[in-house]
Amino acid sequence: MAHSNLSAVEQQQHVYESLCRYFDEHENEVIEIEILPPAIKPPDGVLMQDGSSLGIPKKVLALAFLAARQAFFDNKDNSRTDPKALQATKVILLFDPEHITAANFRKRRLLALRDAVDMLVYQKTLLSELCFLDSILTSPLHRQTKSPTLWYHRSWLLRLIAPLELKSASGKRIATIISAALDSVCKSGERHPGNYYAWQYARRLVIALGRVAAEVDAPFPFDWVVSAFSDRVCTWCFKNPSDISGWSFLLFLLARLDPVDERDEIVEKVLQYATKVRSKNESLWVFVRNALAHPTLLEDREALIETLEERLEDAKATDQDSTYSQYMKQSLHWIPIPGKPKSRP
Amino acid sequence: MKVVYIGIFNNEAKPAVELTHESDLSSYGRFTRGSIAEFLTFFAGEVAQRTRPGQRQDVEEKEYTFHAYGRTEGVCGIVITDDEYPTMVAHRVLSKIVDEFVSKYPRTAYTNFTKGSPQLSFPELKQYISQYQDPAQADSIVKIQKELDETKIVLHKTIESVLERGEKIDNLVAKSDGLSAQSKMFYTQAKKQNSCCVVM
């Protein structure tokens, strides 16, 4: 009995160390982590690795978690520079992304670095923290990609990174960080459809950028960012047309898009797309009817409503009972049209 | 919205033989995509085998839709997409690739094709699977044949419904020599996740 208990602990320790080693070797990259089904067994019984791709069986991850948890609680009160507990939090968060104690421990360690002397180490550590978060949030991990704890952690992290970058970095580098943030949201949104937390993170980002633009002395191209985001998200929505979260975020962006006629251009683009594919996606039509129903969002709302009416007429000519026609009909019925009282059904 | 596979089968042969194909499995994990590729080819073959000349059908299975188009030349085109991809677009792409294939290869090129033979060259497939990830791109496909009639496409809600009476998918999987032992285990263990946010 005692012997088998010992080898269980040894086993946990062995897999934990293998996983830590892999994390250390790829600290400054975004890696792709996959939880392997039981049918796919690593030759060494622990991990499958191929460059920045990692495959780990669920059972192995659970064992590593047990060792990590032990290591964390044994070492968390050591000195601020002791790496053991910090190392353990990576494995803990991979298995249980909502482990707020582990996440907050990482936050406190980053704050300690900020208050220490070496700015370069601090900056480097912030960026590798971003890599770690993105590794979990954009991997093909169904549950982890929708972690409110980790998405919040990413917001918190960007708030630390922002003052450093705004002070010293080129506009190009700031643009890269902002663009990479949206890329992470889009990728995560594909991994987990209807990813409320990812898209909520994106909203927080845009609102924060708006605040920065208002406060900062040097001009910050907020309008350009919103415009670039709108194009990118519109393309994403065309690729994931049944994802309401993407369309909702596009609507959110539309309200902040300047100049106003760009908003009309986007709605026109969406209508063209809907016609081309004869869209049956309810989420797309939620976007369209909400954009058209808003009294002050668009520059020329009436023109777009007319476009929709024309499209409906075209569709009726070929197939009036199609789902596509129905959606258009229902949207027009739902939108309060200026000058026309809504007829009672 | 994804196209994961496009391919052509000789479906006069029983079982149907894959003549050429291209797949895009970039959205799957590095270590499971091999097994997924095997399954797509396997199920595509099963659908192709049960598609008659002149027939078009759509077979839904889990998160995939297998779009099939059988020809009198003894071949069947298969396009596998997710359930978001518009059916009519998938069939337009099917028409295109099958037309091009039969123009390129006479019957003699594939009549005696066996499973082990090297696949017939059709390099354009690589470009098509990339291009038609965006269904709006299919607009450029000129309709040289008569308009596709959507009502003529037979829809099946599972692969099992195209099988003969008494045939079971699990048995076909177990008997198949096109699937590795690992993939067969992968299939029997794959459970449909009913709850949204559970760690595997």
Side-chain angles (χ1 to χ4, degrees):
Chain A
M1 272 308 279
H3 174 75
S4 63
N5 280 343
L6 193 61
S7 60
V9 169
E10 273 180 345
Q11 212 189 358
Q12 286 169 23
Q13 197 57 31
H14 173 64
V15 304
Y16 171 63
E17 279 166 15
S18 302
L19 191 47
C20 286
R21 206 166 25 243
Y22 183 84
F23 273 133
D24 286 342
E25 281 164 14
H26 298 268
E27 178 171 58
N28 298 308
E29 303 158 46
V30 177
I31 56 185
E32 189 184 274
I33 308 170
E34 197 185 346
I35 294 184
L36 302 172
I40 299 183
K41 296 180 179 15
D44 68 356
V46 184
L47 303 173
M48 287 176 92
Q49 308 176 33
D50 182 7
S52 53
S53 294
L54 175 73
I56 180 165
K58 184 180 176 191
K59 287 202 173 121
V60 170
L61 181 57
L63 289 175
F65 170 74
L66 291 174
R69 205 179 155 278
Q70 193 65 49
F72 177 72
F73 285 110
D74 285 347
N75 293 287
K76 68 180 178 56
D77 298 319
N78 297 359
S79 96
R80 273 176 177 185
T81 50
D82 188 306
K84 291 193 277 291
L86 187 64
Q87 193 181 48
T89 56
K90 276 193 176 175
V91 177
I92 291 175
L93 288 169
L94 175 58
F95 182 81
D96 178 7
E98 307 319 322
H99 201 290
I100 193 72
T101 308
N104 287 346
F105 185 86
R106 293 191 75 83
K107 289 184 181 74
R108 278 196 293 275
R109 281 294 179 96
L110 287 169
L111 291 176
L113 272 183
R114 181 189 63 180
D115 301 334
V117 184
D118 198 331
M119 268 298 118
L120 276 176
V121 170
Y122 174 54
Q123 206 154 359
K124 187 166 172 288
T125 312
L126 289 179
L127 294 176
S128 57
E129 185 76 3
L130 214 52
C131 288
F132 168 65
L133 286 174
D134 281 346
S135 297
I136 300 187
L137 293 170
T138 63
S139 281
L141 298 168
H142 188 74
R143 171 62 183 86
Q144 286 84 336
T145 45
K146 200 177 180 176
S147 164
T149 303
L150 294 184
W151 279 111
Y152 176 75
H153 193 85
R154 204 187 193 284
S155 285
W156 180 91
L157 188 63
L158 271 199
R159 259 182 280 145
L160 281 194
I161 292 177
L164 286 182
E165 297 294 334
L166 285 170
K167 230 182 285 170
S168 60
S170 64
K172 189 165 178 220
R173 192 158 134 115
I174 295 174
T176 305
I177 292 176
I178 294 172
S179 176
L182 184 64
D183 284 345
S184 294
V185 170
C186 288
K187 192 145 187 219
S188 193
E190 278 168 40
R191 298 291 194 196
H192 194 123
N195 193 336
Y196 173 79
Y197 298 109
W199 294 104
Q200 193 60 3
Y201 166 88
R203 281 182 185 79
R204 282 201 298 273
L205 176 63
V206 170
I207 291 171
L209 289 175
R211 248 185 261 129
V212 163
E215 289 166 17
V216 151
D217 291 332
F220 184 86
F222 181 66
D223 290 346
W224 182 85
V225 170
V226 175
S227 182
F229 271 26
S230 301
D231 286 338
R232 174 101 170 74
V233 174
C234 191
T235 305
W236 191 91
C237 288
F238 290 170
K239 288 209 183 110
N240 300 274
S242 47
D243 194 327
I244 187 66
S245 299
W247 289 112
S248 296
F249 183 66
L250 187 58
L251 204 54
F252 165 92
L253 286 174
L254 228 55
R256 287 155 180 78
L257 193 52
D258 248 328
V260 180
D261 61 0
E262 271 190 41
R263 304 179 190 180
D264 292 46
E265 278 171 31
I266 295 222
V267 177
E268 174 70 58
K269 218 161 67 161
V270 175
L271 285 177
Q272 271 175 24
Y273 167 84
T275 304
K276 243 187 190 173
V277 303
R278 299 171 65 79
S279 174
K280 295 186 260 193
N281 296 113
E282 173 129 33
S283 301
L284 179 151
W285 293 109
V286 167
F287 169 82
V288 167
R289 69 180 183 244
N290 275 286
L292 294 180
H294 196 293
T296 56
L297 179 70
L298 300 168
E299 181 162 77
D300 191 351
R301 190 178 146 228
E302 287 80 8
L304 286 165
I305 292 174
E306 223 175 271
T307 304
L308 185 56
E309 285 167 342
E310 282 162 19
R311 298 281 159 88
L312 177 57
E313 286 311 307
D314 291 341
K316 273 190 195 167
T318 45
D319 181 1
Q320 57 173 311
D321 291 326
S322 67
T323 314
Y324 164 62
S325 297
Q326 293 299 328
Y327 271 124
M328 283 194 285
K329 217 183 290 177
Q330 284 162 13
S331 299
L332 285 165
H333 182 78
W334 193 82
I335 298 164
I337 295 173
K340 280 196 210 162
K342 263 182 101 166
S343 56
R344 293 203 170 274
Chain B
M1 169 124 26
K2 297 195 288 278
V3 180
V4 296
Y5 171 102
I6 46 179
I8 312 263
F9 284 80
N10 170 352
N11 68 342
E12 281 179 337
K14 300 265 181 273
V17 180
E18 189 183 64
L19 301 172
T20 185
H21 82 282
E22 198 59 53
S23 51
D24 181 349
L25 301 173
S26 51
S27 58
Y28 299 102
R30 159 82 183 72
F31 304 104
T32 44
R33 75 178 63 130
S35 287
I36 292 175
E38 279 183 27
F39 271 104
L40 295 180
T41 290
F42 171 71
F43 283 129
E46 295 299 317
V47 172
Q49 196 163 297
R50 295 165 181 82
T51 304
R52 292 187 309 278
Q55 188 189 23
R56 286 183 186 267
Q57 45 186 4
D58 283 349
V59 183
E60 294 174 356
E61 181 70 32
K62 299 203 167 52
E63 71 263 37
Y64 302 107
T65 302
F66 294 74
H67 309 274
Y69 172 35
R71 289 278 291 239
T72 51
E73 290 90 340
V75 292
C76 178
I78 301 276
V79 166
I80 307 176
T81 65
D82 65 7
D83 52 22
E84 270 186 333
Y85 200 89
T87 282
M88 293 307 284
V89 175
H91 279 275
R92 245 185 276 155
V93 172
L94 263 176
S95 294
K96 179 183 169 75
I97 61 165
V98 174
D99 283 350
E100 285 180 18
F101 181 85
V102 301
S103 305
K104 196 168 169 146
Y105 291 107
R107 219 169 177 139
T108 46
Y110 52 81
T111 316
N112 295 316
F113 206 86
T114 56
K115 204 159 67 84
S117 318
Q119 300 229 320
L120 295 175
S121 164
F122 195 171
E124 291 85 348
L125 285 187
K126 204 175 173 77
Q127 181 223 322
Y128 295 157
I129 199 170
S130 167
Q131 184 181 358
Y132 298 122
Q133 293 298 334
D134 175 8
Q137 289 286 319
D139 253 19
S140 61
I141 298 178
V142 175
K143 294 168 206 137
I144 50 173
Q145 296 173 336
K146 65 176 167 65
E147 284 288 335
L148 280 174
D149 184 350
E150 192 164 2
T151 60
K152 294 249 164 65
I153 302 174
V154 181
L155 176 64
H156 298 271
K157 286 291 182 180
T158 63
I159 285 196
E160 203 131 280
S161 66
V162 301
L163 302 182
E164 260 91 272
R165 200 136 68 103
E167 273 187 319
K168 291 277 176 210
I169 290 209
D170 293 356
N171 292 341
L172 290 174
V173 168
K175 280 188 299 186
S176 163
D177 57 2
L179 294 169
S180 65
Q182 178 176 280
S183 293
K184 288 184 190 182
M185 249 207 299
F186 179 58
Y187 173 78
T188 54
Q189 287 165 355
K191 288 187 177 72
K192 190 174 167 81
Q193 266 174 262
N194 290 317
S195 54
C196 172
C197 298
V198 171
V199 177
M200 263 279 310

